[in-house]
Every structure is written in structure tokens, then in C-alpha cells.
């Protein structure tokens, strides 16, 4: 199934039109059809710390009841609480969207220990030497730096 538009957040999501694999089981129950299974697909975005590209995959489980028209769920559940069948058809997109978007991280990382970027020069910390620093001294305190220097 091709992914619908806007399936994700600002930094990460499933690209529109990407192939989503649906491994679903549809069971007839007294009130309707119970849909359960797994949705897998590609995820693309950028790291929230260093802005490097993230190219990953996602697998989420879904389980949703779709009530028959004129079933007792009309009296026992709110309209938005239970999915409704439209004749013999089921619209899986709302359940799929909820499951995928909720499974995506709000602050994605390219790796768990991503150090991010140097706040002064904007270079990735992994690409900088271990002793990298930007010494910024307030001009009002500049004369005090002479006290910590040793005479040679």
C-alpha cells in the first residue's frame, strides 16, 4: 500500500508514496470486524541534534474494531470511539496514521549517543578534535586571564 501524505512529524516520517507492508488479520466478531496486525515501512528524516539524514524502518502493531452499520455500538459508543464500516469497506488510514505517528520519536536521533553540533562553529562534534574549544572571554574579565598563566 502506498503511504499517504503527511505520515509523520516535522523531523521524521514515512515518505509519501513509500511502500507500506500490511500484515493484517481480519476477524468477524459480533459487532463488526476486528483488524489486527503489523504495518512496516521506511522512515526518513533528520537528526534533531546534528541534522544528519536518518534512513530507517518502522514496524508498528495496530488493532482496531470496525463496527457494522446499525450495530449496537451505535448506542454504546461515541462516533469517534469505534471505527465504522462503510458497507463492505473499511478505511484503515486513520488507524494506520495514529499507530505510525505515535510510534515515531518526537526528537529523532541518527544514533543514541549523537553528540550534536558545536554551538559556536556548527561542525559535528565527531568531526572535531578532542581538544576543540572556542575560548570566549568577556572583555570585562580579560585582564584576569593573566592571573592563571604561568611564567615560562
Amino acid at each position: 500500500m502506498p503511504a499517504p501524505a503527511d505520515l509523520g512529524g516535522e523531523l521524521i516520517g514515512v515518505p509519501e508514496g513509500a511502500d507500506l507492508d500490511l500484515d493484517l488479520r481480519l476477524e468477524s466478531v459480533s459487532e463488526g470486524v476486528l483488524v489486527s496486525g503489523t504495518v512496516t515501512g521506511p522512515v526518513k528524516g533528520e537528526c534533531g541534534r546534528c541534522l544528519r539524514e536518518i534512513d530507517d524502518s518502522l514496524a508498528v502493531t495496530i488493532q482496531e474494531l470496525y463496527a457494522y452499520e446499525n450495530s449496537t455500538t451505535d448506542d454504546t459508543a461515541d462516533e469517534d470511539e469505534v471505527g465504522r464500516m462503510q458497507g463492505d469497506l473499511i478505511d484503515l488510514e486513520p488507524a494506520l496514521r495514529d499507530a505510525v505517528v505515535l510510534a515515531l520519536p518526537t526528537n529523532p536521533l541518527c544514533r543514541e549517543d549523537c553528540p550534536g553540533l558545536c554551538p559556536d562553529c556548527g561542525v559535528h562534534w565527531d568531526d572535531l578534535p578532542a581538544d576543540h574549544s572556542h575560548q570566549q572571554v568577556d572583555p570585562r574579565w580579560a585582564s584576569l586571564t593573566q592571573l592563571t598563566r604561568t611564567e615560562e
Side-chain angles (χ1 to χ4, degrees):
M1 160 183 175
D6 301 324
L7 190 56
E10 290 182 27
L11 293 177
I12 194 163
V14 177
E16 182 177 357
D19 286 333
L20 293 175
D21 293 323
L22 304 170
D23 183 13
L24 302 176
R25 178 180 180 161
L26 283 71
E27 298 176 72
S28 177
V29 293
S30 61
E31 293 300 314
V33 175
L34 180 65
V35 177
S36 55
T38 306
V39 177
T40 56
V43 175
K44 293 192 181 291
E46 58 185 29
C47 179
R49 288 186 188 159
C50 70
L51 304 178
R52 286 189 175 165
E53 185 177 318
I54 296 174
D55 192 2
D56 203 357
S57 63
L58 176 73
V60 294
T61 58
I62 62 170
Q63 185 169 16
E64 188 79 21
L65 174 65
Y66 291 89
Y68 296 127
E69 292 179 305
N70 302 319
S71 69
T72 58
T73 57
D74 291 340
D75 299 329
T76 60
D78 291 336
E79 189 175 319
D80 296 337
E81 193 175 347
V82 175
R84 307 285 181 201
M85 292 186 65
Q86 292 134 13
D88 291 338
L89 301 176
I90 296 174
D91 182 10
L92 289 175
E93 187 175 331
L96 181 136
R97 183 175 297 281
D98 289 348
V100 169
V101 171
L102 289 174
L104 292 171
T106 55
N107 188 23
L109 300 176
C110 59
R111 64 177 207 260
E112 193 172 318
D113 63 341
C114 176
L117 304 174
C118 173
D120 295 317
C121 63
V123 176
H124 197 280
W125 280 110
D126 285 341
D127 299 336
L128 294 170
D131 61 346
H132 176 76
S133 69
H134 295 272
Q135 199 169 31
Q136 296 178 349
V137 178
D138 187 324
R140 296 171 291 178
W141 300 98
S143 61
L144 293 176
T145 60
Q146 302 300 321
L147 294 176
T148 59
R149 292 188 181 163
T150 59
E151 295 291 324
E152 291 183 17

